[in-house]
Amino acid sequence: MLFTLELHNVKIQIWKNLLFELLVSFQYKNFNSFNSLTEVDKFDPNKEKEIIDNINQNIHALDIPKNYQEKEGLSLERVDEIKREAIYNSVQNQNNNMQLMASEAAGAFDTYYNHNTTTGNFTVQALVANRKYVQYTGSTIGNPKNASTLFSYKKIVDNYENTVIKQMESAHWSEVAGWVATLTSGALLLASFATGPVGWVAIFNAKTIAEMFAFFIGFTSTAYAIVQRTQLSKNAAELKSAAYNKIWGNSNWDTGTTAWSIVDGY
């Protein structure tokens, strides 16, 4: 039955019940005085038809709208379908969230890792020299050697990202990108010292902090260069070099499940 029509029928039935009780109460009771009420001994069955006729007459007098729009209600089958759709959507959203949670990634300036903890597949990359990067791909599933190397590499890259991105504020200072580009370009920083991150660390260890501060200004600017950031540049260079040392060489990986290549980078 249509939902709207059912609603009107319910209203009519309520009115019938109320009017019936009211009329019956007047058959059973009468007022002898203003403050007292006595009951009639018995209800007269002959009055039943009269009561019903009065109820019908009052029901027909009710102002029930005739121009309402009929709409089909929800069947039990449709309710079940809605429940199943809601459960399905909830499961799909949960699966999508789990997929996002299963992916781990970190890094900066082409030194990074990407690991799917569900499938075990990973990609790692670190600077070799002169904007050349070594890249390894493989899986950790059922492979303790790969898992151990990747675990250590993640910690190095997490610290490297935090140092370069957050502490050195690379998102707000273009000097950081310029300094990293200098280190990865293979340019000679200072005579008798190596190039790249290793060279920067060696220079840092051979100089005083005041000397390195002045040297760092030459690669950045007086606005950016402060003693704290000068020290952070050494930390970042050490981590960048450590990333390469951790993953380079077949001894760190299971060669049967890992492939490597040299790619161009930052």
Side-chain angles (χ1 to χ4, degrees), residues 16-35:
K16 282 186 176 181
N17 293 341
L18 290 175
L19 289 172
F20 183 80
E21 291 178 4
L22 181 62
L23 292 172
V24 167
S25 68
F26 276 104
Q27 289 294 325
Y28 270 101
K29 302 175 182 180
N30 58 29
F31 289 98
N32 290 332
S33 66
F34 182 77
N35 293 320

Side-chain angles (χ1 to χ4, degrees), residues 92-167:
Q92 287 298 106
N93 290 335
Q94 184 176 3
N95 289 340
N96 292 336
N97 290 335
M98 290 178 65
Q99 285 294 325
L100 291 174
M101 293 173 60
S103 181
E104 297 180 347
F109 300 109
D110 286 345
T111 294
Y112 71 91
Y113 69 81
N114 194 319
H115 182 213
N116 188 307
T117 57
T118 299
T119 64
N121 296 333
F122 67 84
T123 299
V124 295
Q125 183 172 294
L127 175 70
V128 179
N130 302 346
R131 295 197 177 97
K132 297 294 183 181
Y133 289 75
V134 60
Q135 184 181 101
Y136 283 88
T137 58
S139 176
T140 58
I141 297 298
N143 199 306
K145 189 173 186 178
N146 287 349
S148 176
T149 300
L150 181 61
F151 177 77
S152 299
Y153 185 75
K154 282 181 178 180
K155 291 196 294 183
I156 295 172
V157 174
D158 286 343
N159 288 332
Y160 173 67
E161 180 190 81
N162 181 63
T163 301
V164 174
I165 301 298
K166 184 176 180 180
Q167 297 181 27

Side-chain angles (χ1 to χ4, degrees), residues 218-232:
F219 285 97
T220 58
S221 68
T222 54
Y224 176 78
I226 58 176
V227 172
Q228 181 183 15
R229 291 185 181 131
T230 304
Q231 180 63 51
L232 287 172

